[in-house]
C-alpha cells in the first residue's frame, strides 16, 4: 500500500537516555505540533533525527531506540556531533534561519557549514530512498532540508515529492546575498509541489527563481526541462478540535482534577478579580521579539501606573538552540530584563511578570491559554505563528483578546485580532 513519508530534521518525539533506558518525549515546536495530527491520522512513516548524536548512543541501545521510534511510526537518520554542529547549529541556524527572517546581521556564510549541510541533506535523501517505494508520496519539511528534493529526484525521477517551508521565504534582495542561492533553489526544484504559508513568501520565491535561475514562470507554475513545478500557499492550521475539546474538558474539571498550575492561577484570579493575565508563549528566539515585549510591558506600567497590580504578564519561553551564541545572549538579556522589571515594580502582593523558561506539558499549556485574558504575540518575523490560532481555539467561552504582530504569517488570516507593528514601541 502506498504511504506518505514525512521527513523533517526532528522527529515527533525526542529520545533521551537515562539509566540505560530510553524515554521518548514529544517534540515541541510548530512543525512537530502541526504535523503530528497528519501523521497519527494515516499510513505514514516519519523520518528524521532522533535528537541523539551517534556518540551519545551506546551500541547495545540501538535496537531499543529503533523499536521505541517504530512505536511512533518513525525511523531515524544517524548524525554525528560534528554533523549536527555544521548542519543544524551551523548552516541551518546561523545562516538560513537569520537570513530568511531578515536578520542579515546575524547570518554567517561559512563554507564548512555549507559543505556539512550538503552532506547531511544527502544522508536524509539516502534514508528516504532506502524506505520509499515508487508509489509513495514524499513530504519534505523545512529549511534544514532544502536540497533533499533534488537529491531524491535524481535517483527516482518519477516519485511524488512535496516540500513545505515553515519559515518565511525572504524577498529577492535578501535571498540573493546567500552565496549558495542557486544551489538552494535547484535543490527545492526537485519537488513537484512547493508550499509556503503565505502568498507573499510564494511570490518572493518565484521572483528568485525567475531572476537567479532565469526559468520560465507562469502564474504559480515553474517550467524546468520537461517538468512543471507547482508553487502555492497553504497557510498551516492547527488541530482545532484537539485544542477546543481540551479547553472544554478543563472548564468542567472539579477542584481535585485541576493541575497545580491551574489551582495557582485560580487563586490569583480570586484574590484580584479585575486583574488581567497577559500571555506570551514562544520558543526563546530573537525573531519572536521577547525582549522588546518585556521593555514595552515595563513602559506600559510606568506610563499607566493605574494598571499596577491589575495586570500580570505570563511568559513561557521554551528553550531552543542554546548552542548558538545569539540564543545564549538572548537568554541572558531576557533573564536580566525579567529580574530588573520584577525587582523595580513588584509589591508585596504582586509580581508583574511570571517567567517560565522551560517546556510545559500540553495540559498546562491549555491551563495557560484558558486562564489568560490577552494573548500578546509580537514576533519581529514569524512564518506563521500557531500559538495565535491555538489561543483562539481554546477560548470556548468566546472571551479573550489577541494582540498579534503584523509580521507573523497568521496576521494575514487573523485580521480580526489587534494587529500591531512590532517595531512600533508605542503600539506594542
Ligand atoms: C515554526 C515557525 C510556524 C510552545 N511551548 C510549548 C508548546 N509549544 C507549542 C505551541 C505551538 C508550537 O509549540 C509553537 O509553534 P509556532 O508556530 O508558534 O512557532 P515555531 O516553533 O517557531 O514554529 C512558525 C511553525 O513552524 C509551523 O509551520 O508557525 O512561524 O517558526 O504549537 O503549542 N507545547 C508544549 N509545551 C510548551 O511549553 N507542549
Amino acid at each position: 500500500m502506498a504511504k506518505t513519508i514525512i521527513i523533517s530534521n526532528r522527529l515527533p518525539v525526542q529520545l533521551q537516555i537515562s539509566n540505560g533506558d530510553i524515554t521518548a518525549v514529544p517534540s515541541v515546536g510548530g512543525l512537530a505540533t502541526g504535523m503530528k495530527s497528519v501523521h497519527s491520522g494515516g499510513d505514514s512513516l516519519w523520518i528524521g533525527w532522533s535528537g541523539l548524536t551517534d556518540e551519545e548512543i551506546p551500541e547495545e541501545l540501538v535496537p531499543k531506540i529503533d523499536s521505541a521510534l517504530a512505536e511512533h511510526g518513525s525511523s531515524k537518520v544517524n548524525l554525528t556531533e560534528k554533523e549536527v554542529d555544521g548542519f543544524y547549529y551551523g548552516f541551518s541556524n546561523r545562516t538560513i534561519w537569520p537570513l530568511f527572517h531578515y536578520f542579515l546581521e546575524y547570518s554567517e556564510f561559512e563554507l564548512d557549514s555549507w559543505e556539512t549541510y550538503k552532506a547531511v541533506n544527502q544522508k536524509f535523501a539516502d534514508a528516504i530512498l532506502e524506505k520509499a517505494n515508487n508509489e509513495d508520496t514524499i513530504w519534505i519539511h523545512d529549511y534544514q532540508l532544502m536540497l533533499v528534493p533534488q537529491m531524491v529526484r535524481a535517483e527516482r525521477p518519477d516519485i511524488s515529492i512535496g516540500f513545505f517551508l515553515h519559515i518565511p521565504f525572504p524577498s529577492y534582495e535578501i535571498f540573493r546575498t546567500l552565496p549558495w542561492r542557486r544551489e538552494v533553489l535547484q535543490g527545492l526544484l526537485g519537488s513537484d509541489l512547493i508550499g509556503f504559508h503565505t502568498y507573499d513568501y510564494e511570490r518572493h520565491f518565484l521572483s528568485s527563481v525567475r531572476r537567479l535561475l532565469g526559468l520560465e514562470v507562469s502564474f504559480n507554475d515553474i517550467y524546468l526541462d520537461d517538468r512543471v513545478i507547482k508553487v502555492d500557499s497553504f497557510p498551516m492550521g492547527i488541530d482545532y478540535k484537539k485544542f477546543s475539546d481540551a479547553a472544554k474538558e478543563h472548564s468542567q474539571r472539579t477542584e481535585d482534577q485541576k493541575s497545580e498550575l491551574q489551582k495557582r492561577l485560580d487563586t490569583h484570579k480570586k484574590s484580584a478579580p479585575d486583574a488581567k493575565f497577559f500571555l506570551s508563549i514562544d520558543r526563546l528566539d530573537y525573531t519572536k521579539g521577547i525582549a522588546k515585549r518585556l521593555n514595552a510591558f515595563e513602559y506600559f506600567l510606568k506610563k499607566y501606573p493605574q494598571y499596577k497590580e491589575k495586570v500580570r504578564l505570563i511568559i513561557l519561553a521554551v528553550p531552543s538552540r542554546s548552542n548558538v551564541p545569539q540564543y545564549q545572549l538572548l537568554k541572558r538579556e531576557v533573564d536580566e530584563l525579567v529580574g530588573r522589571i520584577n525587582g523595580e515594580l513588584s509589591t508585596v502582593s504582586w509580581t508583574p511578570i511570571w517567567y517560565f523558561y522551560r517546556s510545559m506539558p500540553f495540559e498546562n499549556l491549555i491551563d495557560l491559554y484558558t486562564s489568560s485574558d490577552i494573548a500578546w504575540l509580537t514576533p519581529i518575523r514569524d512564518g506563521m505563528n500557531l500559538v495565535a490560532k491555538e489561543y483562539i481555539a481554546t477560548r470556548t467561552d468566546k472571551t479573550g483578546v489577541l494582540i498579534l504582530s503584523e509580521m507573523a504569517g497568521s496576521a494575514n488570516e487573523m485580521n480580526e485580532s489587534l494587529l500591531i507593528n512590532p517595531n512600533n514601541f508605542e503600539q506594542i
Side-chain angles (χ1 to χ4, degrees):
M1 199 173 112
K3 59 185 177 302
T4 300
I5 302 188
I6 300 171
I7 304 96
S8 62
N9 172 47
R10 291 295 179 95
L11 287 168
V13 287
Q14 294 299 292
L15 297 184
Q16 291 168 355
I17 302 177
S18 59
N19 301 327
D21 222 344
I22 306 288
T23 41
V25 291
S27 301
V28 175
L31 191 159
T33 328
M35 290 307 298
K36 247 180 246 174
S37 310
V38 179
H39 182 50
S40 57
D43 185 15
S44 64
L45 170 70
W46 196 321
I47 297 178
W49 176 51
S50 69
L52 294 170
T53 61
D54 291 356
E55 289 83 350
E56 289 171 305
I57 304 178
E59 191 67 39
E60 63 278 13
L61 282 186
V62 172
K64 259 193 185 175
I65 288 183
D66 288 341
S67 64
L69 291 178
E71 271 175 39
H72 295 273
S74 302
S75 167
K76 71 176 180 346
V77 175
N78 297 320
L79 296 182
T80 64
E81 201 181 313
K82 193 158 177 278
E83 285 170 333
V84 172
D85 251 17
F87 151 75
Y88 180 67
Y89 292 113
F91 194 74
S92 299
N93 287 321
R94 292 197 200 190
T95 307
I96 297 296
W97 177 271
L99 189 70
F100 281 31
H101 286 88
Y102 296 74
F103 281 77
L104 211 64
E105 70 283 17
Y106 287 178
S107 303
E108 295 171 17
F109 302 119
E110 298 280 346
L111 184 60
D112 276 0
S113 316
W114 163 246
E115 293 296 342
T116 313
Y117 183 82
K118 278 197 288 186
V120 170
N121 269 238
Q122 188 61 57
K123 271 192 154 181
F124 276 81
D126 292 344
I128 298 168
L129 291 165
E130 195 189 312
K131 304 275 182 191
N133 297 317
N134 277 345
E135 63 281 7
D136 292 343
T137 302
I138 314 295
W139 194 0
I140 302 163
H141 288 266
D142 227 0
Y143 65 103
Q144 301 92 348
L145 303 177
M146 291 188 289
L147 305 180
V148 176
Q150 183 50 37
M151 289 170 168
V152 175
R153 173 76 54 208
E155 298 299 317
R156 301 276 181 91
D158 296 325
I159 208 161
S160 283
I161 305 175
F163 180 91
F164 187 77
L165 188 71
H166 290 258
I167 64 174
F169 194 92
S171 81
Y172 164 72
E173 281 302 331
I174 297 283
F175 183 70
R176 70 196 285 235
T177 63
L178 180 70
W180 308 282
R181 57 207 180 176
R182 288 170 57 87
E183 288 91 329
V184 166
L185 293 178
Q186 279 154 349
L188 289 168
L189 292 181
S191 318
D192 297 293
L193 174 64
I194 304 175
F196 298 93
H197 281 305
T198 72
Y199 172 65
D200 284 332
Y201 308 158
E202 175 194 337
R203 209 165 46 79
H204 293 156
F205 173 72
L206 289 172
S207 158
S208 285
V209 165
R210 205 182 299 116
R211 299 170 81 169
L212 292 165
L213 300 181
L215 291 179
E216 187 189 341
V217 174
S218 166
F219 295 102
N220 47 358
D221 289 345
I222 301 170
Y223 295 87
L224 172 61
D225 304 328
D226 56 346
R227 296 169 51 228
V228 179
I229 298 145
K230 298 259 174 210
V231 180
D232 217 330
S233 58
F234 303 95
M236 186 163 161
I238 55 160
D239 186 343
Y240 181 91
K241 197 168 175 317
K242 179 175 156 193
F243 283 88
S244 90
D245 285 355
K248 281 181 202 142
E249 188 269 317
H250 275 228
S251 69
Q252 284 154 11
R253 284 188 177 179
T254 61
E255 211 48 41
D256 290 350
Q257 291 168 327
K258 287 182 181 174
S259 68
E260 279 314 306
L261 175 67
Q262 186 63 60
K263 287 181 190 161
R264 288 285 308 274
L265 291 164
D266 289 351
T267 310
H268 282 270
K269 284 232 142 160
K270 274 189 204 123
S271 66
D274 60 342
K276 303 286 181 208
F277 284 140
F278 280 63
L279 176 66
S280 91
I281 297 185
D282 327 76
R283 278 181 309 94
L284 190 72
D285 195 297
Y286 51 83
T287 60
K288 304 284 185 180
I290 303 171
K292 267 198 182 155
R293 200 178 308 153
L294 285 165
N295 281 314
F297 189 60
E298 179 188 26
Y299 177 71
F300 168 74
L301 288 171
K302 288 188 172 165
K303 187 162 179 184
Y304 304 104
Q306 65 272 32
Y307 284 100
K308 284 186 185 168
E309 307 206 343
K310 295 264 187 296
V311 294
R312 169 169 287 131
L313 174 59
I314 305 176
I315 290 218
L316 173 58
V318 183
S320 185
R321 304 172 197 167
S322 41
N323 285 18
V324 178
Q326 269 97 19
Y327 290 75
Q328 294 162 355
L329 286 175
L330 176 66
K331 164 78 170 52
R332 196 178 317 147
E333 187 184 4
V334 169
D335 286 355
E336 284 174 7
L337 272 171
V338 172
R340 187 174 58 70
I341 298 169
N342 276 344
E344 243 175 72
L345 297 172
S346 291
T347 63
V348 279
S349 54
W350 174 69
T351 320
I353 302 165
W354 280 351
Y355 170 43
F356 301 94
Y357 174 65
R358 73 189 76 145
S359 153
M360 288 195 179
F362 177 74
E363 111 138 3
N364 288 147
L365 205 64
I366 301 297
D367 292 336
L368 291 178
Y369 281 142
T370 52
S371 304
S372 299
D373 307 279
I374 296 144
W376 197 24
L377 308 170
T378 58
I380 313 286
R381 282 284 161 182
D382 210 340
M384 174 52 70
N385 194 300
L386 298 180
V387 172
K389 297 185 173 183
E390 293 169 7
Y391 178 68
I392 297 299
T394 58
R395 306 308 300 178
T396 50
D397 65 356
K398 309 258 193 272
T399 64
V401 176
L402 173 61
I403 302 176
L404 181 61
S405 162
E406 286 169 5
M407 308 296 167
S410 49
N412 288 302
E413 299 167 87
M414 307 182 81
N415 43 27
E416 299 88 352
S417 57
L418 300 183
L419 292 180
I420 55 110
N421 175 351
N423 301 308
N424 182 334
F425 199 59
E426 290 286 331
Q427 220 175 33
I428 304 188

